């Protein structure tokens, strides 16, 4: 039996990927989803932030260094200007963010009590958060030096000179603001979920299409049983899902260098569990559809709206409470929820979430199996 | 030995009886003709033989084994050429045949040999690398056949393999069926073309409304109608006459008109030729020619059902 299933599965795979467009749909889209979310979040990776610096602390070493440090950050372009100009350019959106170093800032740093540094921005949280996160690393280090010098200015200057000699680069990598990359990762997974669900239906639809072009009946008149045929299709479906997950995660983590904020293996495992949900749901859709036109319509009706409700496209926090409650009935919600929890290091409910996902898959599989069984009794021949 | 035995086979779709208590045997080495007009129940019968449909009642045995209890055995020994083409348009002819042959367990070198052999057999050896989307209707039909024979089944069932194709392809297919049969294969050949069945089949079953209304060798079937004479009357164009009044003449069983030619079945025992001609001339028709036809399967069908095979 497995020999037959293998034969049909390989045939289905070959036939599907014979078309170049399939490669784009099944492998390209998940990557595009990742790129899309990185762009959506005005990433540290892609977009250049324009930061204006108003240095009112003149020639003081630390103030100049701070400005230089910010300029040395990746994907940041700085301009030096006056406070008034900075405000004007921020207002006209010629700058994304502004850094103001007030008079006495350098001295306060040396004294270990940082004062007179302010960040302003129009783009809101994410931009400020990135600059702030990076700047904090520098401020923390300088504060540590100040503490080590114990108020002795000469000692401070010497330590600080050593620190500068080591370069800023090392530190910049240690402390990066992670809220941005976390949000980006969740968004990528949101898109990935949509693409996985769509792909699963497309692949299960092969069963309906083979019924329409009569090859299904020809195959069933060979020693292959209907069950083996469907099983082969399911195996292909799962294999494609696994590839999609792998491609998306590799693109996210290793090509674009976005840290999702949880171990990649955990994330992958959870998404593969969700792959089973996608496949089983697609089987339900196909089992209840007379032909591929019906299943196409049905999947449009189910997939995108449920992804929306589950928070695949926008964070669920911006939605009204009732919608949020409905979202809990969508399997996608439980994946996103689990990712949220794992990102914050909260593992208390993770096993419940996984169990809920497994239950979704199981119920869908059973419904599909039941319906397929009944369809076979009333097989229609024209 | 019987390759196929069917006993009391019945299929109901709701209240409609598509196949009605059918019983027949097909012997090894035969080309068995299954003749009937559209909707007679031929495909439904074949779908039950190939385990695609569950019979409502009755038994099917293939090579002596019940086809439902030993469905793998049954399916392995069958080669099905479905009425509707079942080939992949975006796979090459070779890939099509190889895929279907692989479903029967063929792999590797044997698969390659058998695939090439089957393509060669249906005359598509030089088109192995082309896709069916570039084929004519006849070539697609031939590929459909190649997909059913590569695994060398004991029984090949062809469901109207010549529908809607050019005469050349049709002759090619008929010749192939004969060659297959000579190479030891038993064939069931389904058609509503009387000439085809008459040309290649050794035994024929005539199906109508789900029932076998006659079966036997061609000679046996024609013997049924020794008590019937078959007149063919050619009329001058524009001749007026009444089919109805001819039908009322004693002894006349059926009257049909096609392209100015009347064909009349009548009891051989009743002498009514004069009355038929009189009826025609009274109506003002002019008879150009009159002929008593040799009985053929068409006549047999007409006699048994009162209808022409082609009329529907
Ligand atoms: N699935 C079905 N449901 C209802 N009626 C059917 C079904 N399949 C076939 N029939 C009917 O059964 C009869 C026999 O059909 P079929 O076996 O295809 O005839 P044939 O092959 O001799 O032309 C036809 O009247 C057809 O309409
Ligand atoms: Mg038919």
């Amino acid at each position: 039996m497995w020999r037959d299933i293998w034969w049909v599965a390989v045939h289905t795979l070959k036939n599907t990927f014979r078309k170049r467009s399939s490669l784009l749909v099944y492998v390209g889209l998940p990557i595009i989803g990742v790129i899309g979310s990185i762009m959506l979040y005005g990433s540290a990776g892609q977009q250049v932030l324009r930061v204006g610096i108003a240095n009112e602390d003149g020639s003081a070493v630390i103030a100049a260094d701070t400005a230089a440090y910010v300029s040395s950050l990746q994907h940041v372009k700085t301009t030096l200007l006056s406070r008034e100009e900075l405000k004007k350019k921020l207002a006209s959106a010629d700058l994304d963010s502004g850094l103001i170093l007030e008079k006495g800032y350098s001295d306060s740093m040396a004294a270990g009590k940082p004062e007179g540094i302010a960040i302003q921005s129009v783009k809101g949280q994410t931009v400020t958060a990135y600059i702030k996160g990076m700047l904090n690393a520098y401020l923390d280090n300088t504060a540590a030096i100040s503490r080590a010098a114990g108020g002795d200015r000469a000692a401070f200057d010497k330590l600080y000179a050593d620190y500068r000699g080591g370069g800023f680069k090392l530190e910049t990598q240690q402390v990066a603001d992670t809220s941005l990359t976390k949000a980006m990762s969740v968004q990528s997974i949101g898109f990935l979920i949509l693409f996985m669900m769509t792909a699963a239906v497309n692949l299960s639809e092969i069963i309906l299409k083979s019924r329409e072009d009569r090859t299904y009946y020809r195959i069933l008149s060979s020693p292959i049983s209907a069950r083996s045929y469907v099983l082969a299709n399911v195996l292909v479906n799962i294999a494609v899902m696994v590839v999609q997950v792998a491609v998306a995660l590799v693109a996210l983590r290793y090509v674009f260098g976005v840290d999702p904020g949880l171990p990649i293996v955990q994330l992958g495992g959870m998404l593969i569990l969700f792959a089973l949900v996608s496949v089983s749901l697609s089987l339900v859709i196909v089992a209840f559809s007379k032909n591929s036109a019906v299943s196409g319509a049905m999947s449009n009706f189910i997939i995108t709206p449920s992804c929306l409700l589950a928070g695949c496209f926008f964070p669920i926090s911006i939605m009204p409470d009732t919608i949020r409650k409905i979202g809990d009935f969508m399997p996608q919600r439980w994946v996103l929820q689990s990712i949220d929890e794992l990102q914050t290091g909260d593992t208390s409910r993770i096993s419940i979430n996984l169990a809920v996902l497994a239950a979704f898959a199981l119920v869908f599989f059973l419904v599909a199996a039941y319906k397929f069984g009944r369809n076979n009794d009333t097989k229609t021949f024209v | 030995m019987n390759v196929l035995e069917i006993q009391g086979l019945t299929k109901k779709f709701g209240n409609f009886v598509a196949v009605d208590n059918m019983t027949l045997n097909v012997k090894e080495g035969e080309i068995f003709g299954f003749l009937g007009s559209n909707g007679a129940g031929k495909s439904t019968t074949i779908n039950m033989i190939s385990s695609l449909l569950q019979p409502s009642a009755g038994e099917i045995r293939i090579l002596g084994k019940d086809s439902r209890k030993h469905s793998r055995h049954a399916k392995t020994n069958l080669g099905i050429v479905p009425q509707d083409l079942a080939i992949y348009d975006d796979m090459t002819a070779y890939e099509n045949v190889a895929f279907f042959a692989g479903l029967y367990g063929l792999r590797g070198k044997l698969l390659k040999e058998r695939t090439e052999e089957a393509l060669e057999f249906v005359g598509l050896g030089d088109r192995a690398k082309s896709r069916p989307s570039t084929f004519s209707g006849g070539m697609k039909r031939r590929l459909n056949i190649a997909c059913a024979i590569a695994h060398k089944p004991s029984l090949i069932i062809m469901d109207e393999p010549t529908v809607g194709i050019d005469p050349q392809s049709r002759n090619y297919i008929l010749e192939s069926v004969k060659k297959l049969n000579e190479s030891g294969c038993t064939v069931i050949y389904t058609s509503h073309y009387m000439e085809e069945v008459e040309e290649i089949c050794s035994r024929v079953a005539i199906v109508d409304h789900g029932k076998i209304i006659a079966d036997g060798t061609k000679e046996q079937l024609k013997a049924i109608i020794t008590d019937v004479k078959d007149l063919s009357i050619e009329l001058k164009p524009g001749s007026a006459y009444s089919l109805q009044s001819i039908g009322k003449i004693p002894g006349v069983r059926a009257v049909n008109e096609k392209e100015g030619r009347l064909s009349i079945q009548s009891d051989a025992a009743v002498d009514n030729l004069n009355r038929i001609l009189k009826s025609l001339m009274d109506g003002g028709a002019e008879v150009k020619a009159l002929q008593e036809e040799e009985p053929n399967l068409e006549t047999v069908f007409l006699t048994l059902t009162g209808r022409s095979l082609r009329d529907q």
Side-chain angles (χ1 to χ4, degrees):
Chain A
M1 184 178 94
W2 287 105
R3 238 167 75 99
D4 301 343
I5 293 174
W6 182 250
W7 185 254
V8 176
V10 169
H11 157 79
T12 308
L13 257 183
K14 269 203 248 170
N15 238 5
T16 305
F17 287 97
R18 195 179 295 276
K19 290 175 235 110
R20 288 271 173 278
S21 59
S22 298
L23 211 59
L24 179 73
V25 169
Y26 295 120
V27 182
L29 278 184
I31 299 178
I32 291 172
V34 171
I35 297 175
S37 22
I38 289 174
M39 297 203 319
L40 220 84
Y41 274 83
S43 114
Q46 297 301 303
Q47 199 179 322
V48 173
L49 288 175
R50 296 156 304 171
V51 179
I53 300 176
N55 185 358
E56 298 170 347
D57 205 16
S59 52
V61 177
I62 294 181
D65 276 354
T66 307
Y69 169 79
V70 172
S71 326
S72 77
L73 289 177
Q74 277 191 311
H75 314 292
V76 169
K77 192 171 152 277
T78 52
T79 32
L80 287 170
L81 65 187
S82 73
R83 189 191 282 247
E84 285 70 38
E85 264 181 299
L86 186 143
K87 288 206 165 134
K88 220 184 286 165
K89 290 210 163 168
L90 266 181
S92 63
D94 288 330
L95 287 176
D96 297 313
S97 185
L99 178 67
I100 300 172
L101 305 171
E102 290 170 4
K103 188 137 189 70
Y105 159 73
S106 299
D107 287 341
S108 75
M109 284 292 283
K113 293 193 187 74
E115 260 174 13
I117 177 165
I119 296 174
Q120 298 187 330
S121 121
V122 279
K123 269 200 181 167
Q125 281 304 302
T126 51
V127 174
T128 328
Y130 174 64
I131 304 284
K132 212 186 242 169
M134 298 313 246
L135 208 51
N136 272 337
Y138 173 79
L139 297 182
D140 284 351
N141 282 325
T142 314
I145 292 167
S146 162
R147 271 196 303 280
D152 177 350
R153 183 64 199 243
F156 174 85
D157 286 344
K158 189 181 175 305
L159 285 170
Y160 184 77
D162 288 349
Y163 165 60
R164 281 185 67 192
F168 302 124
K169 288 259 156 50
L170 283 172
E171 283 76 16
T172 63
Q173 265 153 19
Q174 278 169 7
V175 190
D177 177 67
T178 53
S179 65
L180 183 66
T181 57
K182 280 179 180 170
M184 238 184 293
S185 310
V186 171
Q187 185 68 72
S188 305
I189 303 303
F191 287 142
L192 177 62
I193 283 174
L194 172 72
F195 297 140
M196 282 169 76
M197 294 180 82
T198 319
V201 174
N202 282 340
L203 289 166
S204 292
E205 251 171 24
I206 293 174
I207 299 172
L208 291 176
K209 290 199 172 126
S210 74
R211 220 179 272 184
E212 284 155 26
D213 71 14
R214 321 290 307 173
T215 50
Y216 177 74
Y217 301 110
R218 176 64 187 85
I219 291 170
L220 292 202
S221 63
S222 81
I224 310 279
S225 67
R227 202 171 299 153
S228 301
Y229 178 75
V230 173
L231 194 56
N233 181 282
V234 169
L235 290 182
V236 168
N237 209 330
I238 291 175
V240 172
M241 297 291 105
V242 170
V243 169
Q244 286 196 313
V245 169
V247 162
L249 292 188
V250 166
L252 183 72
R253 183 72 188 92
Y254 301 105
V255 178
F256 298 103
V258 177
D259 180 2
L262 72 164
I264 211 86
V265 178
Q266 282 181 16
L267 185 53
M270 203 151 49
L271 286 169
I272 284 167
L273 183 58
F274 181 76
L276 296 182
V277 178
S278 306
V279 172
S280 58
L281 176 65
S282 73
L283 288 174
V284 172
I285 290 175
V286 160
F288 280 91
S289 302
K290 266 208 165 54
N291 55 49
S292 54
V294 174
S295 68
M298 221 197 287
S299 67
N300 282 339
F301 188 74
I302 292 175
I303 294 177
T304 312
S306 67
C307 281
L308 202 73
L309 288 173
C312 287
F313 307 137
F314 319 105
I316 191 133
S317 49
I318 65 167
M319 296 184 195
D321 217 35
T322 34
I323 294 193
R324 236 189 282 186
K325 290 219 174 79
I326 300 173
D328 282 347
F329 289 94
M330 311 297 158
Q332 303 98 305
R333 177 85 214 104
W334 297 83
V335 179
L336 297 172
Q337 176 105 31
S338 305
I339 294 174
D340 261 359
E341 287 168 11
L342 289 176
Q343 280 179 338
T344 53
D346 171 11
T347 52
S348 57
R349 288 170 20 140
I350 198 72
S351 44
I352 297 174
N353 294 354
L354 294 182
V356 169
L357 279 176
F360 267 114
L362 188 67
V363 169
F364 288 151
F365 269 124
L366 290 177
V367 170
Y370 173 77
K371 187 70 172 95
F372 270 127
R374 288 185 56 96
N375 288 354
N376 275 351
D377 291 344
T378 53
K379 236 186 251 160
T380 43
F381 291 90
V382 183
Chain B
M1 196 190 70
N2 286 330
V3 177
L4 174 69
E5 296 164 54
I6 290 178
Q7 192 109 53
L9 189 67
T10 301
K11 180 69 194 182
K12 294 180 184 162
F13 296 110
N15 285 329
F16 178 74
V17 184
V19 175
D20 193 358
N21 195 19
M22 198 181 273
T23 296
L24 67 89
N25 295 325
V26 176
K27 295 191 197 70
E28 192 176 357
E30 281 188 313
I31 302 182
F32 187 87
F34 213 46
L35 184 65
S37 49
N38 280 332
K42 305 182 295 291
S43 296
T44 306
T45 306
I46 289 172
N47 286 337
M48 287 190 280
I49 298 172
S50 56
S51 313
L52 286 177
L53 275 177
Q54 293 267 348
S56 308
E59 256 181 50
I60 299 167
R61 296 175 152 271
I62 288 164
L63 295 170
K65 284 190 182 175
D66 186 284
S67 76
R68 266 198 278 182
K69 285 194 202 113
H70 304 92
S71 81
R72 205 178 169 92
H73 168 266
K75 286 166 149 192
T76 314
N77 282 293
L78 289 179
I80 306 284
V81 181
Q83 177 173 349
D84 300 299
L85 291 172
I87 48 178
Y88 294 94
D89 268 339
D90 44 9
M91 278 164 55
T92 65
Y94 182 94
E95 287 168 329
N96 265 288
V97 177
F99 168 63
F100 286 110
L103 294 176
Y104 295 82
L106 266 57
R107 297 286 188 279
K109 204 169 145 247
L110 185 63
L111 176 65
K112 186 168 174 286
E113 278 170 19
R114 293 284 181 82
T115 302
E116 282 164 359
E117 200 181 319
L119 282 168
E120 210 56 59
F121 186 81
V122 298
L124 290 173
D126 54 340
R127 297 299 300 271
K129 290 209 170 71
S130 312
R131 291 174 187 206
S133 46
T134 65
F135 285 4
S136 71
M139 290 162 83
K140 286 185 188 175
R141 286 270 160 204
R142 274 142 61 192
L143 178 59
N144 205 30
I145 293 175
C147 292
I149 61 174
H151 63 286
K152 294 215 188 288
S154 328
L155 174 61
I156 293 178
I157 306 182
M158 300 188 172
D159 195 353
E160 312 223 15
T162 56
V163 166
I165 60 173
D166 57 290
Q168 217 176 337
S169 280
R170 169 189 287 214
N171 285 338
Y172 197 103
I173 289 177
L174 293 180
E175 286 309 311
S176 313
V177 174
K178 285 191 218 163
K179 264 200 291 175
L180 267 176
N181 182 247
E182 280 156 20
S183 73
C185 204
T186 310
V187 180
I188 296 180
Y189 190 93
T190 294
S191 179
H192 67 274
Y193 296 116
M194 175 273 303
E195 308 91 326
E196 289 182 353
V197 172
E198 185 143 10
E199 183 185 338
I200 61 168
C201 296
S202 41
R203 219 150 56 87
V204 180
I206 297 179
V207 213
D208 195 44
H209 295 304
K211 285 197 180 75
I212 292 182
I213 53 174
D215 77 358
T217 61
K218 282 175 278 189
E219 291 67 33
Q220 285 170 333
L221 289 177
K222 287 175 191 168
I224 297 173
I225 53 167
T226 47
D227 58 338
V228 174
K229 64 184 174 208
D230 190 1
L231 297 172
S232 170
I233 301 174
E234 200 183 325
L235 300 171
K236 271 248 167 82
S239 293
Y241 54 88
S242 156
L243 280 181
Q244 227 174 355
S245 56
I246 297 171
K248 284 193 189 120
I249 295 170
V252 172
R253 293 189 182 186
V255 193
N256 284 282
E257 187 274 328
K258 215 186 280 171
E259 293 151 13
R261 184 181 281 273
L262 287 181
S263 94
I264 301 172
Q265 277 72 47
S266 168
D267 279 350
V270 182
D271 213 354
N272 52 10
L273 189 55
N274 268 339
R275 293 189 61 176
I276 292 171
L277 288 175
K278 185 167 183 303
S279 163
L280 282 170
M281 286 185 292
D282 286 351
E286 246 182 278
V287 175
K288 255 173 82 182
L290 183 143
Q291 211 177 344
E292 191 164 339
E293 299 265 345
E294 280 286 303
N296 59 29
L297 290 180
E298 177 89 38
T299 336
V300 176
F301 188 85
L302 209 57
T303 313
L304 292 172
T305 66
R307 285 177 290 117
S308 157
L309 261 174
R310 299 292 179 71
D311 279 356
Q312 35 246 293

